[in-house]
Amino acid sequence: MAPINSKRTLRRDLWLAAGLLGLGALVAIVSLTEIKAGHLDQMAQATPSASPEPSATPAESKPGGTRPTTPAPEPARPDVEAQKEGAKPALPPAPAEKVAPPMDKK
């Protein structure tokens, strides 16, 4: 049979758990109302356009969806022929501690 003291401890623990749960719910509700209220007083500001007058017609869309890049992207490690012609790699060689020794053939 359980002593009376354990019932008192259980009751106290349950009240503590319920209080912490209620406090957590209160903090969550306050946080959500702060987030929702924060959106009401903020307005988006558009960046000014580079051209002084907006064009009357939109730009034409081209099928394929490719966008030109200026300058054209280059590979990080040019092929052997390009290196012979004098092209330098965009990335420096890996440090010695990062290079693994060659694998033995079985």
Side-chain angles (χ1 to χ4, degrees):
M1 187 151 122
I4 297 173
N5 193 15
S6 71
K7 286 184 180 182
R8 186 178 301 153
T9 304
L10 177 64
R11 183 175 297 148
R12 187 188 70 211
D13 288 347
L14 287 176
W15 277 109
L16 181 63
L20 289 175
L21 188 65
L23 185 64
L26 181 67
V27 168
I29 291 170
V30 168
S31 298
L32 290 175
T33 55
E34 286 284 326
I35 290 171
K36 188 170 183 174
H39 289 281
L40 297 177
D41 60 352
Q42 294 177 357
M43 298 188 95
Q45 182 176 357
T47 57
S49 62
S51 63
E53 299 175 3
S55 63
T57 59
E60 287 187 34
S61 63
K62 296 180 181 178
T66 58
R67 294 175 16 181
T69 58
T70 308
E74 298 179 8
R77 304 268 182 232
D79 57 353
V80 177
E81 292 176 10
Q83 284 183 351
K84 287 179 184 176
E85 293 176 3
K88 294 183 179 179
L91 299 174
E97 62 268 5
K98 301 261 179 164
V99 178
M103 295 180 66
D104 297 330
K105 295 196 177 195
K106 292 184 180 182

